[in-house]
Amino acid sequence: MEDENLEQKNNNTFQFDVFDIIRTIIENKRKVFKFLIIFLILGIILALLSPKEYSSSAVILPQISSNKGLSKKYSSIASLVGIDLGQSDANKIVPTLYPLIVKSAPFQKAILSSKINIQEKDEAVTISDYLTNYKKTSTLSVIKGYTIGLPGKFLKLFKSSAKEEISPVKIDSTIYRFSAAEKQQIDYLNEQLEVTFNDIEGFVQIKARMDEPIIAAEVVKNAQELLQKFIIDYNIEKSKDELLFLEQRLEESRDDYSSKRASLGNFRDRNKNIISSYTRNREEQLKSEYDLAYNMYSQLATQRESAELQVKKDTPIFTILKPAIVPIEPSAPNKVKIVMVSLVLGGFLSIFLILFRFYIPIFLNYFLKKEYEN
């Protein structure tokens, strides 16, 4: 039957016939079934060997002022008609930037250094130590490492010694350096840890997927606390600097005020029975210096109180809507999905090979005939 169809195709202009395709597939249905059985077995093996992952998440609601919800476009339009929307929160970190903070080097260094509790040890260990020494390697990862990843292992053997690992060192306040091992750990956490902002409801979700349920909850909790600390520290940085400056000036003013007060008191005690133009003028001079020091001290004390209130005002408030919990059931792998995808892939691959084997002679004969005619 296949030869007759082939001869018919060779004598006519080349075209696809849907009925020929369906008939070819039906005639080779045994091959299709073999492929389906093979891929079914492979899918079951893959589903059984795939490592389990547990997901934990936390939802926080950051305090957002009304101005933060307005875009720059609307702010500029409002300014054209004389409406001042306020710029007091212009330098504050808005929730849309939270995912960028999680990807930043300072945050990544902090999350690797944060402590988690594991079953293997009674005391807490850092996430970096856990990923290096305690994280379990799945059978599927080992198989991938010695099959697909084998070329990469050979390439590592030929790397120059100049690329030896170095310990992460903070060079200055803005430059960080990570070792190759920590870079791999950071890449792993970037895949497993996710921070998203729901711009409709206004909440932030922190989600982590790990191979152990307690570790997943611990990572979410640490990421939540570190994120809140980073946001608070940044938002109150300016007001804290102003408060520190005022406290230093207040201390200096207090010393000057105490010195002027002591000088005035000592002068009055020494000259309380002496009445002269010199003592009167000197006392007035000391009294003026004392009043000036007192006024300066009083103003700085008032400004210091205002700065303390400003620090409290600038400190963001986070409401924990959903705390991190230890998951009971694994979130991955979806074994049914893996088996179904394997079956679909096996079916498509078998049909492709059957049609390729059937139509490749027709292709070649048709194009060779065209070339000969030309």
Side-chain angles (χ1 to χ4, degrees):
M1 179 64 70
E2 290 185 10
D3 294 337
E4 294 177 359
N5 291 336
L6 179 60
E7 182 179 358
Q8 183 179 359
K9 291 293 181 184
N10 292 338
N11 294 331
N12 299 322
T13 59
F14 177 74
Q15 61 179 356
F16 283 105
D17 191 337
V18 177
F19 293 103
D20 285 347
I21 294 175
I22 296 175
R23 184 167 53 252
T24 302
I25 295 174
I26 294 175
E27 291 173 353
N28 293 270
K29 59 184 179 181
R30 293 177 61 88
K31 295 180 180 179
V32 175
F33 289 146
K34 289 180 180 179
F35 267 88
L36 290 177
I37 293 174
I38 293 173
F39 275 81
L40 174 63
I41 296 173
L42 292 177
I44 293 174
I45 295 174
L46 182 61
L48 294 175
L49 294 180
S50 296
K52 292 183 179 180
E53 283 188 347
Y54 295 85
S55 297
S56 181
S57 63
V59 177
I60 59 176
L61 182 66
Q63 183 189 46
I64 307 175
S65 65
S66 58
N67 293 338
K68 289 182 182 180
L70 298 173
S71 64
K72 293 181 179 179
K73 178 179 68 174
Y74 296 119
S75 299
S76 60
I77 294 174
S79 63
L80 293 176
V81 296
I83 300 176
D84 184 14
L85 296 179
Q87 300 297 328
S88 60
D89 296 323
N91 295 324
K92 302 296 186 295
I93 295 183
V94 295
T96 53
L97 299 179
Y98 289 5
L100 295 180
I101 295 176
V102 176
K103 303 294 182 181
S104 65
F107 186 92
Q108 291 171 339
K109 184 175 178 64
I111 192 69
L112 285 178
S113 301
S114 62
K115 301 278 188 171
I116 58 175
N117 296 303
I118 60 176
Q119 296 178 353
E120 289 81 358
K121 293 195 67 176
D122 295 334
E123 58 183 10
V125 298
T126 64
I127 292 181
S128 178
D129 188 20
Y130 164 75
L131 294 177
T132 303
N133 302 315
Y134 299 102
K135 186 179 181 300
K136 299 176 182 178
T137 303
S138 64
T139 306
L140 186 61
S141 299
V142 175
I143 295 175
K144 287 182 179 180
Y146 287 94
T147 53
I148 302 176
L150 195 58
K153 293 182 181 293
F154 282 111
L155 291 176
K156 289 182 180 180
L157 299 176
F158 297 97
K159 287 185 177 180
S160 62
S161 59
K163 295 184 179 179
E164 292 180 355
E165 292 187 359
I166 54 175
S167 58
V169 178
K170 184 177 180 181
I171 301 174
D172 59 29
S173 59
T174 58
I175 301 177
Y176 288 80
R177 182 172 62 187
F178 295 94
S179 66
E182 285 201 336
K183 182 61 171 62
Q184 292 179 352
Q185 295 172 358
I186 289 172
D187 293 340
Y188 174 78
L189 286 180
N190 286 339
E191 295 178 357
Q192 305 302 111
L193 180 63
E194 181 182 9
V195 176
T196 56
F197 172 65
N198 188 312
D199 55 354
I200 298 177
E201 302 295 338
F203 63 83
V204 177
Q205 184 181 46
I206 305 171
K207 184 177 182 180
R209 301 184 305 274
M210 302 297 288
D211 53 356
E212 295 184 29
I214 184 65
I215 303 300
E218 292 269 5
V219 170
V220 171
K221 177 177 173 291
N222 290 355
Q224 172 197 323
E225 293 176 349
L226 284 174
L227 181 60
Q228 292 179 189
K229 181 180 182 299
F230 270 67
I231 300 303
I232 292 174
D233 289 345
Y234 182 88
N235 283 354
I236 67 174
E237 181 180 6
K238 181 180 179 182
S239 55
K240 281 188 68 176
D241 290 342
E242 292 178 354
L243 177 60
L244 179 61
F245 174 80
L246 288 173
E247 286 178 343
Q248 293 173 349
R249 302 291 80 78
L250 182 63
E251 186 66 25
E252 296 173 358
S253 177
R254 182 186 293 110
D255 295 340
D256 184 59
Y257 165 68
S258 299
S259 176
K260 295 294 190 296
R261 183 177 59 181
S263 298
L264 179 60
N266 291 334
F267 182 83
R268 284 175 173 175
D269 291 339
R270 290 195 306 267
N271 300 278
K272 59 182 178 180
N273 295 323
I274 300 175
I275 301 175
S276 66
S277 297
Y278 171 77
T279 56
R280 187 166 54 253
N281 291 337
R282 179 58 179 167
E283 183 180 358
E284 289 178 357
Q285 180 184 358
L286 293 175
K287 181 67 167 57
S288 298
E289 292 177 355
Y290 165 78
D291 291 339
L292 181 62
Y294 175 76
N295 291 333
M296 180 64 69
Y297 174 73
S298 299
Q299 291 178 7
L300 287 173
T302 303
Q303 292 178 8
R304 197 273 305 270
E305 295 294 331
S306 299
E308 288 180 345
L309 293 176
Q310 187 64 39
V311 170
K312 295 179 180 179
K313 179 182 177 182
D314 291 343
T315 302
I317 300 175
F318 297 90
T319 303
I320 302 177
L321 301 179
K322 176 188 173 185
I325 60 174
V326 179
I328 300 176
E329 297 293 334
S331 59
N334 190 333
K335 297 181 179 180
V336 176
K337 182 178 179 180
I338 293 176
V339 173
M340 294 302 296
V341 170
S342 300
L343 285 174
V344 173
L345 181 62
F348 276 112
L349 182 60
S350 62
I351 293 174
F352 172 77
L353 293 177
I354 291 171
L355 295 180
F356 179 81
R357 178 176 173 274
F358 177 73
Y359 278 99
I360 192 62
I362 302 176
F363 268 108
L364 295 177
N365 185 70
Y366 174 76
F367 286 110
L368 289 175
K369 182 179 179 181
K370 283 290 185 180
E371 184 177 355
Y372 176 77
E373 291 176 353
N374 293 333

